[in-house]
Amino acid sequence: MCGIIGYIGPRDISSVLLTGLKRLEYRGYDSAGMTINNPDGLATFKAVGKIMELEKKISGRDLAGNLGIAHTRWATHGEPNEINAHPHLDAKGEVAIVHNGIIENYYALKDFLIKEGFKIVSDTDSEIVAHLIQKFHNGDFSESVAKALELIEGTFGLAIVQKGENKIIAARRGSPLVLGLGEGEMFIASDVSAVLDYTKRIIYLNDDELAIVEKDSYSVKNLKGEEVNKKVHEIKWTLDQIEKKGFKHFMLKEIFEQPEAIINTLRGRIKEGKIKLSLDLNMNSLKRIIIVACGTSWHSALIGKHLLEKIAGVPVEVDYASEFRYRDPLIREGDLVIVISQSGETADTLAALREAKARGAKILGIVNVVGSTISREVDSGIYLHAGPEIGVASTKAFTVQVVDLLLLALFLRQEKGLDLQKDIIRNLETLPEKIREALGQSDSIRELAEKFVNCKNILYLGRGLNFPVALEGALKLKEISYIHAEGYPAAEMKHGPIALIDKDMPALFIATRDNTYEKILSNMEEIKARGGEIIAVVNEDDKKVIGLAGSIIKVPSVSCELTPVVNAIPMQLFAYHVADLRGIDMDKPRNLAKSVTVE
Ligand code: M6R
């Protein structure tokens, strides 16, 4: 996904911009570029591919200047090439912009500009912003930006420089943007990690805000030109937390961080056998919950449905955010909409949130990234406290989401005055230890991965609470190893997919003990009878599955409600090791971005 960094101050401009771009690499990109405002005008450099290619282009040049903007592009309009890479400039080369988001009325604006005599050179929607600003140029930089923005429909995170101006203008609608405050220097970025090398003092811009940033000062206005007071946040995440800590990949580091992440999410939320959540919502009138999310977060939502219905006795519906937003959803009195998102920036989830809000629903967010757009737009929230998740494949966010949904289910039960299930609470407190035990299987899971590294398809099967874990296991494998994998409820096999079973279609069963255990054994028999190879995730002391499965992964026993968390660990490790053995950089799998901020 595209990334933005801007800098104004005394440091070496190109190295600050390059460092910022490198911090944004994990988001995924296909080209990069920068513009430096130097005494001779706007010097712009672009390159397709890695940031190293951009570095090569600027090496050996004298890049004097005290302000500049830079961008990593992930193509949406127009192929990845140098013309389409950002920054984009107006025809006179006086205005340069970098843009994240999508300009929806781009064709209309392009026609309008062409009729006015402007020459558009790229295939992007972004370039028109530079021309519009130039068109409205009247000597007042911020006024011409504001006028241009009035015409734009769609989403933007923008950083803009103008020849001869000692300031950068940033503007946001629907695409994250922050200001980093330094001493005699200022930063603009689409992501806090791009500026953490230099400052931890951050301002989050809201939609329809415009910031005028100079080296010693900043001001933020809304698009009506009214001054807005902004809170300065002190960021606690260190760069060290963000980096790999000796693990080969971020994904592996994040898988191994799960015990710690669970300790952090539980901290202060269980006291003397009671659940403490400070939710600013009236739960007495609660009649129904609708959960919306995407990808892995949608899988945790499916588990949340089981937990909330069983423990709290509240009916729950789960929807893909991308479907919910367009299906004219019915919101009734007593409905609570829960949005789940690791990044807090997923465009579909954000749009679903806004749709639900517009229809009168109260919104509860379950989000990891503090200060993200979703976290700021919800009525109340539960932060995951899982720490930064950099690997594109979501791992620790998933298990922590499930833990927080369980906490919420217990909390709602407590609010109803029903007795709390003490054994679940005890199990929650020992969960980090159980996760450590499951992580101890990493080496034997790698051996198993060696056996399946060349397979073309795998079926993931589970039932009940562990059906969404099968979906999540299949998603993990396909997104990082490029092996086709599908998750199914095990009993659905006989209604069609069983036709696929032969010696080349292994089936991975989640077969830990719960109320569907005996049924799963019969489903395994059905596969075995058709020559299918079985991999099974079982409890350490399991006796029955051993005779049926060719390969076994053992996990510790936990109470039924927590099995999805423990069973997710071998799913993640298996996918990781298969991808690593196939030589794939699973932190940045092809065609994927960490945070999907476009529709
Ligand atoms: O940040 P979010 O939780 O809103 O992201 C949702 C999905 O884009 C995300 O879970 C995606 O499916 C991951 N690649 C899964 O590993």
Side-chain angles (χ1 to χ4, degrees):
M1 208 58 46
C2 306
I4 289 175
I5 170 82
Y7 176 70
I8 176 163
R11 295 178 199 253
D12 178 61
I13 183 77
S14 61
S15 64
V16 175
L17 296 178
L18 285 169
T19 306
L21 290 182
K22 284 177 190 164
R23 295 279 174 222
L24 296 169
E25 275 195 292
Y26 73 90
R27 293 167 63 95
Y29 66 104
D30 47 52
S31 51
M34 68 166 70
T35 292
I36 292 172
N37 196 353
N38 70 20
D40 302 327
L42 301 181
T44 299
F45 306 91
K46 303 183 187 187
V48 175
K50 295 284 169 197
I51 288 163
M52 207 185 5
E53 301 305 320
L54 180 64
E55 255 176 317
K56 281 187 206 154
K57 289 220 164 159
I58 60 176
S59 95
R61 288 174 189 262
D62 177 19
L63 292 176
N66 64 349
L67 71 93
I69 52 176
H71 189 261
T72 46
R73 174 173 187 254
W74 191 69
T76 56
H77 291 65
E79 64 179 75
N81 60 28
E82 281 190 23
I83 294 177
N84 290 337
H86 300 216
H88 289 288
L89 279 80
D90 72 301
K92 293 184 186 159
E94 292 180 348
V95 175
I97 66 105
V98 289
H99 167 231
N100 287 356
I102 290 181
I103 296 171
E104 285 164 6
N105 58 340
Y106 144 70
Y107 289 106
L109 290 175
K110 186 176 172 184
D111 285 348
F112 162 73
L113 284 165
I114 290 172
K115 279 187 196 127
E116 295 261 316
F118 289 86
K119 193 166 177 282
I120 314 282
V121 293
S122 76
D123 305 318
T124 67
D125 53 336
S126 308
E127 184 193 339
I128 56 149
V129 182
H131 297 292
L132 284 174
I133 295 169
Q134 179 60 39
K135 176 180 162 45
F136 293 119
H137 183 54
N138 63 356
D140 184 330
F141 184 17
S142 62
E143 203 176 296
S144 51
V145 172
K147 276 192 178 151
L149 296 186
E150 269 173 30
L151 295 183
I152 291 175
E153 289 166 18
T155 55
F156 52 79
L158 280 164
I160 308 154
V161 293
Q162 183 161 324
K163 187 178 163 190
E165 290 281 356
N166 258 325
K167 56 184 78 144
I168 306 177
I169 294 188
R172 162 189 171 141
R173 181 184 297 154
S175 197
L177 217 51
V178 300
L179 308 186
L181 313 184
E183 297 295 325
E185 60 181 355
M186 299 282 174
F187 303 82
I188 291 162
S190 53
D191 187 319
V192 171
S193 60
V195 303
L196 272 188
D197 281 299
Y198 307 103
T199 181
K200 290 188 186 308
R201 298 178 64 229
I202 296 295
I203 285 175
Y204 294 97
L205 291 187
N206 283 329
D207 279 352
D208 291 329
E209 284 181 350
L210 184 144
I212 301 160
V213 183
E214 298 183 57
K215 79 179 170 44
D216 294 309
S217 65
Y218 64 89
S219 69
V220 179
K221 295 179 177 173
N222 60 26
L223 291 187
K224 289 184 215 138
E226 297 157 342
E227 204 80 33
V228 183
N229 270 334
K230 301 296 291 182
K231 185 176 167 201
V232 178
H233 295 256
E234 200 68 41
I235 297 299
K236 301 228 166 60
W237 292 356
T238 60
L239 271 174
D240 184 48
Q241 272 179 296
I242 295 177
E243 282 163 2
K244 290 191 196 117
K245 284 189 184 156
F247 285 92
K248 188 172 176 190
H249 296 99
F250 281 114
M251 182 181 176
L252 192 61
K253 173 173 97 66
E254 286 154 12
I255 291 173
F256 274 83
E257 280 172 348
Q258 288 174 105
E260 201 58 37
I262 288 171
I263 292 169
N264 287 339
T265 209
L266 290 176
R267 185 167 291 126
R269 288 174 171 166
I270 303 177
K271 271 191 197 144
E272 292 152 8
K274 293 249 178 294
I275 308 298
K276 307 269 175 203
L277 291 179
S278 41
L279 301 182
D280 197 11
L281 292 168
N282 174 12
M283 294 298 183
N284 295 331
S285 57
L286 179 63
K287 293 206 178 75
R288 178 177 72 148
I289 291 173
I290 302 168
I291 315 183
V292 290
C294 301
T296 289
S297 298
W298 183 77
H299 296 152
S300 71
L302 294 177
I303 298 168
K305 172 182 167 71
H306 278 256
L307 298 172
L308 287 157
E309 290 189 340
K310 188 172 161 203
I311 297 171
V314 187
V316 179
E317 286 176 22
V318 176
D319 212 342
Y320 285 113
S322 53
E323 291 296 316
F324 178 88
R325 62 184 290 195
Y326 289 119
R327 76 169 164 77
D328 204 6
L330 282 181
I331 300 289
R332 296 185 295 243
E333 221 179 300
D335 283 346
L336 172 70
V337 170
I338 300 181
V339 292
I340 307 180
S341 175
Q342 186 288 129
S343 60
E345 302 293 351
T346 301
D348 284 323
T349 311
L350 182 58
L353 178 169
R354 289 175 177 163
E355 181 67 36
K357 218 173 190 182
R359 288 167 186 260
K362 286 284 174 207
I363 318 284
L364 173 71
I366 299 184
V367 173
N368 192 34
V369 178
V370 176
S372 57
T373 310
I374 290 178
S375 77
R376 285 180 285 126
E377 293 200 12
V378 294
D379 296 299
S380 184
I382 301 174
Y383 274 126
L384 300 182
H385 299 309
E389 194 182 69
I390 305 289
V392 163
S394 189
T395 52
K396 60 180 178 173
F398 174 73
T399 47
V400 173
Q401 282 164 355
V402 175
V403 168
D404 286 347
L405 284 159
L406 177 56
L407 282 178
L408 178 65
L410 290 165
F411 177 77
L412 293 179
R413 184 179 175 87
Q414 179 180 282
E415 292 289 286
K416 282 183 166 181
L418 299 170
D419 64 309
L420 269 188
Q421 292 157 327
K422 297 268 184 294
D423 56 321
I424 306 182
I425 295 187
R426 269 194 302 276
N427 269 268
L428 260 175
E429 286 168 331
T430 56
L431 183 61
E433 200 38 54
K434 301 284 181 185
I435 303 279
R436 272 187 205 107
E437 283 176 43
L439 290 168
Q441 299 297 310
S442 185
D443 290 345
S444 54
I445 293 175
R446 189 165 182 98
E447 283 170 27
L448 190 69
E450 278 164 11
K451 190 169 159 197
F452 292 96
V453 67
N454 291 319
C455 71
K456 301 266 183 291
N457 305 283
I458 299 194
L459 276 177
Y460 281 71
L461 303 169
R463 298 188 70 153
L465 269 171
N466 283 294
F467 159 54
V469 180
L471 292 177
E472 175 60 8
L475 176 64
K476 285 290 87 84
L477 188 75
K478 73 180 114 180
E479 70 179 332
I480 62 168
S481 76
Y482 317 145
I483 292 175
H484 173 238
E486 293 303 330
Y488 256 94
E492 271 294 303
M493 284 297 294
K494 56 185 175 293
H495 298 290
I498 200 160
L500 294 169
I501 297 299
D502 64 12
K503 63 176 183 24
D504 297 321
M505 173 68 96
L508 191 156
F509 276 90
I510 299 163
T512 46
R513 259 187 312 276
D514 62 14
N515 61 337
T516 61
Y517 176 70
E518 296 294 336
K519 306 277 175 204
I520 282 262
L521 291 176
S522 322
N523 300 141
M524 279 187 196
E525 295 279 10
E526 289 157 12
I527 300 275
K528 200 171 176 203
R530 285 155 183 89
E533 179 148 9
I534 295 175
I535 312 163
V537 176
V538 297
N539 289 124
E540 288 148 329
D541 55 349
D542 188 283
K543 303 258 173 343
K544 294 185 178 171
V545 176
I546 310 265
L548 286 169
S551 309
I552 292 285
I553 303 172
K554 292 188 175 173
V555 290
S557 303
V558 287
S559 70
C560 160
E561 295 74 15
L562 292 171
T563 55
V565 179
V566 172
N567 293 340
I569 306 297
M571 303 294 113
Q572 299 166 350
L573 285 170
F574 182 69
Y576 170 81
H577 287 303
V578 170
D580 190 36
L581 289 165
R582 287 164 76 96
I584 293 168
D585 177 1
M586 77 295 292
D587 284 339
K588 294 176 208 143
R590 69 185 181 202
N591 307 337
L592 281 174
K594 179 64 183 163
S595 166
V596 185
T597 51
V598 291
E599 193 178 347

